[in-house]
Amino acid sequence: MRAVRALSRALNRASLATRGCAQLAKAADSQSQPSFGLLIDIDGVLVRGKTPIPAARKAFRKLLDSRGELLVPLVFVTNNGSTFRQTKADQLTHILGVPISPEQVMLSHSPLRMLNQYHDKHVLVSGQGPVGDIAKSIGFSRAITVEMLREAFPLLDVVDHNRRPKIAPFAEVDFPTIEAVVLFGEPVRWETNLQLIVDVLLTAGNPGNAPPRPPYPHIPLLACNMDLMWMAEAKTPRFGHGTFMVCLESIYKKITGRELKYEALLGKPSETTYHYAECLLRAQAASRGWQRPLHTLYAIGDNLMTDVYGANLYNRYLREEGSRPGWRRQAKVAAGKGVRVLGPLEQHQEVDRDGDGLVPGAVLPGSARCSSVLVCTGVYSPRRSLEDSLTEAACHGHRDFTFDPALVEPDHVVPDIAAAVDLIYQLEHFTGQ
């Protein structure tokens, strides 16, 4: 009997020791897990046009463990909107030599998935590439391209004399009333897109008719990607979709005397874009079984007026709104009026249906802060002093995002993406081991 009791005591001690070791192992594993996430811009940070920036692959070697898996959750946040997420993921895989999934890619139009009050409306979509198919892939079941509108109303597009119809059509066109306009990105034929979009706005979505006076307010207008400029292989920045928007705004005001109004502005620096990106980061961390909450988001970019302004704007939002109840912590559309942003349960169900991998309840409480990291390989050039770039005269952000010196001042400035990763690891005392 004594032997039995002794054996029992020995087994109990072994059990306690095993549990203690397991708890210590779990604690050690938890400490090795990241408490931060990365939001990485693409153009000017990883590539210039189609040319990879040398520091990009170097940076990703630092972000992988010995098994080739990412050490930290990251999402590529680009203002590009002329492609599919799978296509962009494939391009990044080729550039970085690391498998990248679509769930790690966020395009400027990705948050449009949340605005499902427009998904069943007839919407005119402007951009380039397979813009009609892209619109349908994110929920717009009745997307109408500018080319479809031009074919239905050939007399509207007359700037290019060679594209004018040889014989004027006489038949009445049976065409649905356009209920909203969505700007995905810069188009190829600016004169055609500018003309037809203005026609739609001036006629309440019926370009075949001419009302006695332009309706105001006009039908809803949503825009993605406000970049005035972006960096490709050329020595100086190139026109972005923001330049097209400046043209559209100027033409509309010149004709009507009124301001063009946006129902929603998406893409960087919109708060909604950063909130959506944070949701993707948290879903990614949950899928890896990482339990530590993401305390800090590091937004790495090359553009003061999109990457830095957007990160700082979202950081201000997190500070001001962080104490509110969970469902109220939905990012506001900076220039939007009356847009219903979905609550977490609705949003995650909708996003999951479209393949982002978010599921109800998968997203943990929000981050404490968002820190901006500026690299010198793109739009921002160290040849020009940072002080000169922070003046209102140098501000080339969208007109609906007012200039604020505090919002365009980066938390950190580094030479390139590899240096950014080194800095973040140092700040977080992170080894990944």
Side-chain angles (χ1 to χ4, degrees):
M1 191 61 144
R2 248 184 262 139
V4 172
R5 282 200 294 267
L7 179 59
S8 178
R9 285 195 295 270
L11 289 173
N12 285 336
R13 286 196 296 271
S15 177
L16 288 171
T18 301
R19 285 202 297 270
C21 290
Q23 289 171 350
L24 288 172
K26 184 176 181 181
D29 182 61
S30 175
Q31 289 302 312
S32 70
Q33 292 178 6
S35 61
F36 62 95
L38 306 182
L39 304 178
I40 303 177
D41 183 35
I42 297 176
D43 293 304
V45 176
L46 303 177
V47 297
R48 289 183 60 163
K50 295 183 178 180
T51 305
I53 292 172
R57 286 204 172 198
K58 182 180 178 182
F60 271 79
R61 285 196 293 270
K62 304 171 187 286
L63 291 169
L64 299 176
D65 63 17
S66 58
R67 296 170 297 177
E69 294 185 349
L70 285 170
L71 292 166
V72 299
L74 64 86
V75 171
F76 300 94
V77 185
T78 175
N79 269 350
N80 184 300
S82 60
T83 188
F84 296 97
R85 296 165 72 229
Q86 180 66 63
T87 304
K88 183 59 69 175
D90 291 342
Q91 292 172 355
L92 289 169
T93 297
H94 175 71
I95 291 166
L96 300 172
V98 176
I100 303 299
S101 71
E103 290 74 23
Q104 293 172 298
V105 176
M106 181 173 170
L107 304 173
S108 61
H109 55 65
S110 294
L112 285 172
R113 300 173 188 271
M114 296 191 297
L115 306 184
N116 62 358
Q117 62 268 43
Y118 296 102
H119 288 178
D120 293 328
K121 294 183 181 295
H122 290 100
V123 297
L124 178 67
V125 295
S126 169
Q128 61 180 285
V131 65
D133 293 333
I134 292 171
K136 291 178 180 177
S137 74
I138 59 176
F140 294 94
S141 59
R142 299 179 179 179
I144 298 168
T145 65
V146 169
E147 189 58 32
M148 291 166 62
L149 185 64
R150 179 184 172 274
E151 290 176 1
F153 299 97
L155 295 180
L156 298 182
D157 182 23
V158 296
V159 172
D160 185 344
H161 293 205
N162 293 325
R163 284 173 32 116
R164 293 181 180 180
K166 300 296 184 284
I167 301 175
F170 295 100
E172 290 289 331
V173 177
D174 182 17
F175 202 81
T177 298
I178 294 172
E179 301 167 275
V181 178
V182 183
L183 308 180
F184 276 77
E186 63 271 19
V188 175
R189 284 185 169 269
W190 284 32
E191 80 283 359
T192 297
N193 285 259
L194 289 168
Q195 176 71 77
L196 270 63
I197 292 169
V198 169
D199 287 336
V200 168
L201 296 175
L202 296 181
T203 62
N206 294 284
N209 298 322
R213 63 178 61 85
Y216 198 82
H218 51 72
I219 63 174
L221 175 65
L222 297 83
C224 310
N225 181 1
M226 295 161 272
D227 281 350
L228 187 77
M229 312 285 272
W230 66 288
M231 203 69 189
E233 290 93 343
K235 299 297 183 182
T236 56
R238 303 293 84 200
F239 290 162
H241 188 222
T243 306
F244 176 83
M245 292 167 65
V246 169
C247 296
L248 180 63
E249 294 155 10
S250 300
I251 293 169
Y252 183 85
K253 186 169 185 178
K254 193 73 173 178
I255 292 174
T256 67
R258 296 176 180 270
E259 292 284 350
L260 190 71
K261 300 291 185 182
Y262 294 94
E263 192 75 4
L265 287 170
L266 302 174
K268 297 176 292 187
S270 162
E271 292 163 288
T272 300
T273 289
Y274 285 83
H275 175 74
Y276 193 92
E278 182 183 356
C279 288
L280 294 179
L281 271 180
R282 296 186 177 285
Q284 188 181 136
S287 71
R288 291 286 300 272
W290 290 331
Q291 300 299 316
R292 297 185 72 187
L294 300 182
H295 182 271
T296 304
L297 309 179
Y298 289 96
I300 305 171
D302 69 305
N303 192 324
L304 287 169
M305 287 311 306
T306 52
D307 302 303
V308 172
Y309 189 113
N312 291 343
L313 184 65
Y314 192 55
N315 186 57
R316 179 178 292 180
Y317 167 77
L318 290 173
R319 289 202 316 265
E320 294 174 353
E321 305 293 328
S323 61
R324 296 191 177 190
W327 70 266
R328 293 182 182 276
R329 297 192 64 253
Q330 303 301 310
K332 296 169 287 186
V333 179
K337 302 294 182 183
V339 173
R340 188 175 76 90
V341 179
L342 302 180
L345 184 60
E346 297 175 281
Q347 181 190 121
H348 301 162
Q349 287 173 331
E350 184 68 22
V351 174
D352 184 54
R353 185 195 71 183
D354 290 317
D356 279 324
L358 297 182
V359 295
V363 179
L364 301 175
S367 298
R369 67 189 183 101
C370 183
S371 181
S372 54
V373 182
L374 179 68
V375 300
C376 303
T377 50
V379 171
Y380 172 73
S381 171
R383 291 193 299 271
R384 182 180 186 182
S385 73
L386 188 60
E387 289 74 17
D388 291 341
S389 301
L390 299 181
T391 64
E392 187 166 7
C395 171
H396 59 234
H398 189 266
R399 60 148 212 221
D400 289 352
F401 288 80
T402 57
F403 177 76
D404 182 339
L407 291 178
V408 292
E409 184 170 357
D411 294 322
H412 308 281
V413 182
V414 294
D416 53 40
I417 178 70
V421 172
D422 287 339
L423 172 67
I424 293 166
Y425 278 9
Q426 180 181 354
L427 293 172
E428 293 291 328
H429 305 289
F430 182 73
T431 64
Q433 302 301 321

